[in-house]
Amino acid sequence: MKRMSWEEFARSMGVEPHILENEEARLLKKFVMDLKFPTHCQGCQGLDLSNPNPVHHPSYELTPACNHDCIFCYSNVAVKLGKAPKPGYYGWERPYAITVSQYGEPLISPRIVEVNRMLRERFPEARLDLQTNGSLLTEELWEKLDFDLVMISLDAASREKHLKITNADTFDAVVNALRIVGSDKSVRSVVRTIFMPGINDEEVPRIAELAASLGIDEMMLQPLTIHELNVERLKKAGLDFDRAESIREYLKVAMEAKKYIDVRISGCQLAIYRTMDPLTLFSARRVARDVAPAMKRERA
C-alpha cells in the first residue's frame, strides 16, 4: 500500500490542503525556508540528506576537563561513562573545517596556542573553529590565537541563571569574552545557545540582544539533547520535557531571537525541516533523549 503525503490524504477526503494549514504553520515554514545554515555547519556532511551516515567536521580534542558543570552537558556524561575521546586529531586529510574542540573546555589546556598553530600549518586551507565557554578568554590569550570562527556558549542572560545552569560564577567573564571576540571583525563570532524550555526559553531573546550589543555576528540556537545521566538535574532545574521535543516551540523561540541577531539553527535539523510541509512542521516532534554521545570519527 502506497503511503500518502498529508496533502494527498487531504485531497482524497475532498479537502484542499491549504484549508487545513493555520497561519502559525505557514509562518514557521517561511521562517525555516528563509534561514541560513550556521557558519559552523557549512561544509558539514549532515547537510546532505542523501548521505546515510554523515559525520561532523573533524575535531581536535584537547581535554575532556571543564571549569563549568552544565546541567545538560554531554561531555560530562561521556567522562562518567568512560567514553570521552583521548586528546588528538579526529578526522581526515584535507578537511573543510576543524573544530577545537567538541569535548571539554579547550582553553583549560596549556597546549591551546601550540595546537592552534600546528593545525594552521598542517591544514592551511581548513576553516578553524574554536568552541569554548569563553570564561577563560582574555585579551592577552586572544592575541595569541588564530581562528576563523569562534563559538562562545551562553545559555542565560543573567548571572543568577547562568550560575544555575553552569554551576560556575563566570557570567561576567563570558560576557567579556563575547566583547573581545565581537570587537574583532577578522573572525566570525557566534554565541551558541541551547534551547531548554522551562529553564531558559525566556532568556534566549535576551541573550540574542546582549550578544548583538557586543558585536557578535550570529546566534547558533541548538535543541537540547537529554542524556540519561542528566535527566534528574534537568528535572530539578525545571525543564519542560514535553516542550523540549516540540519543533514548533524551538522555532518560535528562534523567531523571537531573530528580532535582535542573525539567528541560525542546527544545520542538520534545518536541512530536514525544509523538506517538511507546514502542517507537519507545526506538529512534528523530535527524539530528544540519548544515552551518551558517540565520536564517529577515527583518531589520526
Side-chain angles (χ1 to χ4, degrees):
M1 180 178 176
K2 180 186 175 184
R3 183 173 177 178
M4 291 189 290
S5 67
W6 79 270
E7 293 102 328
E8 291 170 329
F9 177 75
R11 290 194 177 101
S12 74
M13 300 297 291
V15 180
E16 281 301 308
H18 72 273
I19 295 175
L20 297 179
E21 291 180 14
N22 58 45
E23 182 61 23
E24 187 176 358
R26 285 192 287 270
L27 285 173
L28 288 177
K29 177 66 176 180
K30 184 181 185 308
F31 177 68
V32 162
M33 297 309 293
D34 289 345
L35 280 177
K36 296 178 182 177
F37 288 107
T39 306
H40 172 64
C41 297
Q42 291 170 12
C44 181
Q45 295 178 22
L47 303 187
D48 180 6
L49 297 182
S50 67
N51 187 332
N53 190 34
V55 297
H56 292 299
H57 293 304
S59 71
Y60 194 101
E61 302 302 324
L62 280 160
T63 173
C66 188
N67 60 326
H68 284 184
D69 182 22
C70 297
I71 57 177
F72 59 85
C73 182
Y74 65 81
S75 189
N76 279 345
V77 170
V79 169
K80 289 173 184 174
L81 295 177
K83 297 187 183 239
K86 293 184 190 256
Y89 176 64
Y90 291 79
W92 47 84
E93 291 294 330
R94 293 186 293 280
Y96 183 90
I98 303 170
T99 302
V100 181
S101 58
Q102 287 189 271
Y103 290 75
E105 171 48 52
L107 300 190
I108 278 182
S109 172
R111 297 186 60 232
I112 179 61
V113 174
E114 170 199 344
V115 167
N116 184 191
R117 288 174 180 166
M118 179 271 292
L119 291 174
R120 186 63 82 190
E121 292 171 7
R122 174 74 186 278
F123 304 102
E125 302 301 317
R127 191 188 72 223
L128 297 185
D129 297 357
L130 174 66
Q131 182 169 291
T132 173
N133 65 35
S135 63
L136 301 173
L137 187 65
T138 63
E139 294 275 6
E140 182 181 8
L141 177 56
W142 181 243
E143 289 296 321
K144 299 175 183 176
L145 297 176
D146 177 21
F147 285 94
D148 302 297
L149 180 147
V150 179
M151 294 176 286
I152 297 177
S153 297
L154 183 62
D155 301 296
S158 68
R159 180 182 177 187
E160 295 73 24
K161 183 59 69 74
H162 177 77
L163 178 59
K164 180 179 179 181
I165 292 172
T166 66
N167 290 289
D169 190 8
T170 57
F171 179 74
D172 291 342
V174 176
V175 171
N176 187 55
L178 290 169
R179 183 179 294 108
I180 291 171
V181 175
S183 64
D184 187 342
K185 294 310 172 184
S186 69
V187 299
R188 180 71 175 176
S189 56
V190 181
V191 61
R192 179 175 174 266
T193 303
I194 309 296
F195 171 55
M196 294 176 278
I199 298 176
N200 77 342
D201 39 327
E202 294 182 357
E203 302 267 314
V204 173
R206 294 171 56 202
I207 297 169
E209 186 175 18
L210 172 63
S213 74
L214 298 172
I216 298 299
D217 299 311
E218 179 183 326
M219 169 180 268
M220 184 176 178
L221 184 64
Q222 296 186 268
L224 173 68
T225 297
I226 304 166
H227 294 286
E228 191 174 287
L229 296 185
N230 292 331
V231 168
E232 289 305 314
R233 301 179 79 191
L234 289 165
K235 188 183 296 182
K236 184 177 179 181
L239 180 71
D240 187 327
F241 287 81
D242 183 64
R243 289 176 59 218
E245 295 184 341
S246 169
I247 292 172
R248 178 173 75 251
E249 294 291 334
Y250 172 50
L251 293 176
K252 282 166 61 179
V253 169
M255 289 175 74
E256 283 299 308
K258 197 165 178 64
K259 295 175 182 177
Y260 303 100
I261 199 169
D262 179 5
V263 169
R264 310 194 184 185
I265 65 173
S266 298
C268 49
Q269 301 284 328
L270 178 57
I272 294 170
Y273 298 164
R274 283 181 171 179
T275 69
M276 295 179 177
D277 58 75
L279 196 61
T280 299
L281 186 65
F282 180 80
S283 58
R285 304 182 69 76
R286 54 181 289 274
V287 178
R289 300 214 179 209
D290 199 357
V291 179
M295 177 72 80
K296 292 184 178 182
R297 304 173 296 282
E298 294 296 323
R299 186 171 177 224

